[in-house]
Amino acid sequence: MKIITKIYLSIGFILLVFGFVTFAYFKQSQKVAKSIEQVLLSSEIIQTNSNLQHAVVNAQNGLRGFLLSGKENFLEPYYAGMASYLIELSLLKNLNRDKPDNINYLNQVDLEFNRWNDSVAAPIIQAKREVNTSEKARQHYNHLFYQSYSQEEGKIKIDTIQYFTGLIQKAETTNKNAQVAILKISQDRTDLLGIALTILALIIGVATALLLGKTIKRRISSMQNLASNLARENFDITLTDDYHDELSSLSADMNVMAKKLQQSFASLNKMNQELDQFAYVVSHDLKAPLRAINNLAEWINEDIGETTPDIRKNLSLMRGRVHRLENLINGILAYARIGRTKIEQTTFEFGDLLQEIAESLVLPPGFNFIFPTESLLITTEKILLQQVMVNLISNAIKYNNKSNGQVTVTAQEHGAVYLISVADNGPGIPQEYHEKIFGVFQTIEARDTIESTGIGLAIVKKIIEEKHGAIRVDSEPNQGTTFSFTWPIMLPVTVAHSQTALIHE
């Protein structure tokens, strides 16, 4: 199975779990909302039922006050109770439209209340108003009063009303308490379910991330190990991957790459060996006849005795051409070998290197060689830097046309490189030749004027570029020439520590 498929499945499963959590929350929320709705409905029914009871009591109290005082203003609570009763009864019936038992209770309440009002309250109120009009009216009032209060006809009807409203009150209180209990259970279940599913999703997510991360990290580490071995030219290592996914394809490609690199390096080493052998054979086969020609020219010069100056000049010119050709062969071999051999780095004093070069060169009379005055430790391949400096300095001496010739060498650290310059007071180089002089076999002077192979500066440029440096020439005719180049700074640990100690002191 592909890694991306595993990732998609893992994420999909986690999303599925969270989707289920959301759905469960939604369903539980619906239950909670329904329970809250039922609790609120029961609370409203209870409150409205209490208001209905209060309206009945107000009507009853208003009736009693009027009967005791005979004053009409005492009937205000009665009329207010009657009006409030009708309003609350209508509200109760609307609230209980889905509760048939409560509707039946309310019908009984309404029946009994109307009976109380029609058979008790309304007749006795009218009789009370007419009680003083005649003896017959007084007797009628006394009869109604006796029936209502002595026989408790009115009380029985009011008690019946209170009984049915009490049933409603009890039923709704019980329902309210039950819904509150259900609501609490729903909330607890919702919380537990949410916590459990969230923990499950987190466990699955963490486990999946760890499993995939560990698998991918281990395999990537193997690839990094292979890449490191390839960088160290160790091509024997291979990757084994049986997962059959994207990284497996990458591992297979890296194995193929390692094998091809191994074949390429083996072929390259073989070609280099053959090239070295060829160069050795060619140089040996070419140098042998050159030496023979040189020896022959010397023997002829010795044997001819006194002869014309032209003949001796031609023999000298022949020997010069032979030496030039031999130097040219050596230069070509040196140029071809640059960058192909591993040279050990050493730490040395730059001034000492210049002193060795000066002692190895033959300086013309009156020629001045100026060294840097400051000490400069350099860690690099000494032989390469020596070859660069020898070529630049020897060129400055060879081509100088002044009787008081001078070569000045400067060197300083410049960021991550050394900036080294070789300046002379010679004839200078025209602008159009500044790039041409670095080409192989390129010279400014005619070869017959100054013996030169035209390969020295090409070797200099190739060495500097192999070290990831750069070289440039600043010169004008009759203004001297300055070659400036950069050389990377590579400080060894021991040198770095000694410098740090000096700084602290």
Side-chain angles (χ1 to χ4, degrees):
M1 184 183 295
K2 292 185 177 181
I3 294 176
I4 192 65
T5 304
K6 293 179 181 178
I7 294 174
Y8 285 157
L9 288 176
S10 301
I11 295 175
F13 184 73
I14 294 171
L15 292 176
L16 182 64
V17 172
F18 275 110
F20 183 72
V21 170
T22 304
F23 178 75
Y25 262 102
F26 176 73
K27 296 301 291 184
Q28 288 298 114
S29 298
Q30 284 186 324
K31 291 182 179 180
V32 170
K34 186 176 181 180
S35 298
I36 292 174
E37 184 181 347
Q38 291 298 319
V39 169
L40 293 176
L41 178 60
S42 296
S43 298
E44 190 173 0
I45 290 174
I46 291 171
Q47 182 60 46
T48 307
N49 190 63
S50 296
N51 293 340
L52 181 68
Q53 291 175 331
H54 187 65
V56 172
V57 170
N58 282 344
Q60 186 180 25
N61 290 337
L63 174 61
R64 289 174 179 174
F66 174 70
L67 295 178
L68 289 175
S69 65
K71 296 180 179 180
E72 287 291 332
N73 61 332
F74 278 87
L75 283 177
E76 290 179 3
Y78 167 79
Y79 292 121
M82 293 293 293
S84 178
Y85 166 81
L86 294 174
I87 294 172
E88 300 300 334
L89 180 66
S90 177
L91 288 174
L92 271 176
K93 285 186 175 181
N94 185 55
L95 294 172
N96 289 279
R97 60 184 177 274
D98 297 326
K99 299 183 177 184
D101 290 340
N102 287 353
I103 292 296
N104 290 332
Y105 297 151
L106 289 174
N107 290 334
Q108 291 295 324
V109 168
D110 191 39
L111 179 63
E112 294 299 325
F113 186 77
N114 288 330
R115 285 179 178 176
W116 173 80
N117 186 55
D118 293 340
S119 62
V120 176
I124 201 170
I125 289 173
Q126 185 63 31
K128 180 62 176 178
R129 288 171 176 166
E130 298 174 352
V131 67
N132 295 323
T133 57
S134 64
E135 183 63 25
K136 184 178 180 180
R138 180 176 292 277
Q139 290 178 357
H140 179 65
Y141 169 76
N142 290 335
H143 174 72
L144 291 175
F145 188 85
Y146 175 79
Q147 287 292 116
S148 298
Y149 290 95
S150 296
Q151 299 296 323
E152 297 184 348
E153 181 180 348
K155 181 177 181 303
I156 292 172
K157 289 179 171 54
I158 294 299
D159 289 343
T160 303
I161 293 172
Q162 296 296 339
Y163 171 73
F164 285 113
T165 55
L167 290 178
I168 295 174
Q169 195 84 358
K170 182 178 179 181
E172 292 307 315
T173 301
T174 302
N175 183 60
K176 178 182 176 181
N177 293 335
Q179 292 299 327
V180 169
I182 293 172
L183 178 61
K184 188 176 184 308
I185 293 172
S186 297
Q187 288 178 331
D188 293 341
R189 286 179 178 176
T190 301
D191 293 341
L192 289 175
L193 181 62
I195 292 172
L197 291 177
T198 302
I199 292 174
L200 177 62
L202 290 174
I203 291 174
I204 293 172
V206 171
T208 302
L210 290 176
L211 182 61
L212 288 175
K214 184 178 179 181
T215 302
I216 295 174
K217 180 181 179 181
R218 183 174 63 250
R219 296 164 70 188
I220 291 178
S221 297
S222 300
M223 294 179 188
Q224 289 177 335
N225 183 45
L226 175 61
S228 299
N229 279 276
L230 293 179
R232 294 193 296 268
E233 300 182 14
N234 178 17
F235 305 106
D236 296 331
I237 188 171
T238 58
L239 295 177
T240 302
D241 195 322
D242 299 324
Y243 287 90
H244 306 293
D245 54 24
E246 297 91 336
L247 290 181
S248 299
S249 300
L250 181 59
S251 298
D253 292 340
M254 292 188 71
N255 286 333
V256 173
M257 180 183 68
K259 185 176 180 180
K260 289 185 176 181
L261 282 175
Q262 184 178 19
Q263 295 173 350
S264 298
F265 270 86
S267 177
L268 181 61
N269 288 332
K270 183 180 179 182
M271 292 172 61
N272 285 335
Q273 291 174 0
E274 292 175 351
L275 182 60
D276 288 339
Q277 185 178 5
F278 173 77
Y280 174 78
V281 171
V282 169
S283 64
H284 181 271
D285 291 348
L286 287 176
K287 286 180 181 179
L290 288 177
R291 292 191 187 100
I293 294 172
N294 183 63
N295 292 336
L296 184 60
E298 290 182 357
W299 293 341
I300 293 173
N301 187 46
E302 293 173 357
D303 292 342
I304 61 175
E306 294 295 332
T307 185
T308 62
D310 290 339
I311 294 176
R312 291 188 177 278
K313 180 180 178 182
N314 291 334
L315 289 174
S316 178
L317 187 61
M318 180 188 297
R319 289 197 301 272
R321 295 294 185 273
V322 169
H323 288 304
R324 182 200 299 174
L325 186 55
E326 185 175 5
N327 291 335
L328 181 61
I329 293 170
N330 293 332
I332 293 173
L333 290 176
Y335 184 82
R337 287 170 179 164
I338 293 173
R340 289 171 49 203
T341 56
K342 182 70 174 180
I343 302 176
E344 184 179 356
Q345 294 182 352
T346 58
T347 300
F348 54 90
E349 176 64 47
F350 186 63
D352 295 340
L353 175 66
L354 295 178
Q355 185 64 43
E356 293 175 8
I357 295 173
E359 292 173 356
S360 66
L361 298 174
V362 178
L363 298 179
F367 203 92
N368 193 17
F369 194 175
I370 301 175
F371 293 177
T373 57
E374 296 182 358
S375 175
L376 182 63
L377 279 177
I378 294 181
T379 299
T380 188
E381 299 88 344
K382 182 178 179 181
I383 189 172
L384 294 181
L385 184 58
Q386 185 179 31
Q387 196 169 4
V388 170
M389 298 304 299
V390 166
N391 275 285
L392 293 177
I393 293 172
S394 61
N395 278 354
I397 296 172
K398 182 188 301 183
Y399 292 100
N400 201 300
N401 60 354
K402 302 291 194 304
S403 59
N404 58 340
Q406 178 176 296
V407 174
T408 303
V409 179
T410 60
Q412 61 181 347
E413 292 186 13
H414 187 75
V417 297
Y418 298 109
L419 181 59
I420 302 174
S421 298
V422 177
D424 64 62
N425 63 342
I429 302 173
Q431 183 72 32
E432 61 267 22
Y433 292 104
H434 284 188
E435 292 296 329
K436 183 179 179 181
I437 58 175
F438 291 107
V440 180
F441 310 133
Q442 299 296 322
T443 61
I444 298 177
E445 297 284 350
R447 297 181 190 272
D448 292 335
T449 304
I450 298 178
E451 288 293 343
S452 175
T453 62
I455 201 170
L457 288 178
I459 292 175
V460 167
K461 185 176 183 182
K462 186 172 182 181
I463 291 175
I464 291 173
E465 289 179 348
E466 283 287 333
K467 295 298 296 179
H468 304 290
I471 185 170
R472 73 173 189 178
V473 59
D474 296 302
S475 181
E476 293 291 341
N478 300 317
Q479 298 295 323
T481 302
T482 300
F483 286 93
S484 303
F485 66 92
T486 56
W487 196 269
I489 295 177
M490 303 178 67
L491 291 177
V493 176
T494 54
V495 175
H497 287 174
S498 64
Q499 288 185 345
T500 304
L502 289 173
I503 291 172
H504 286 301
E505 290 176 2

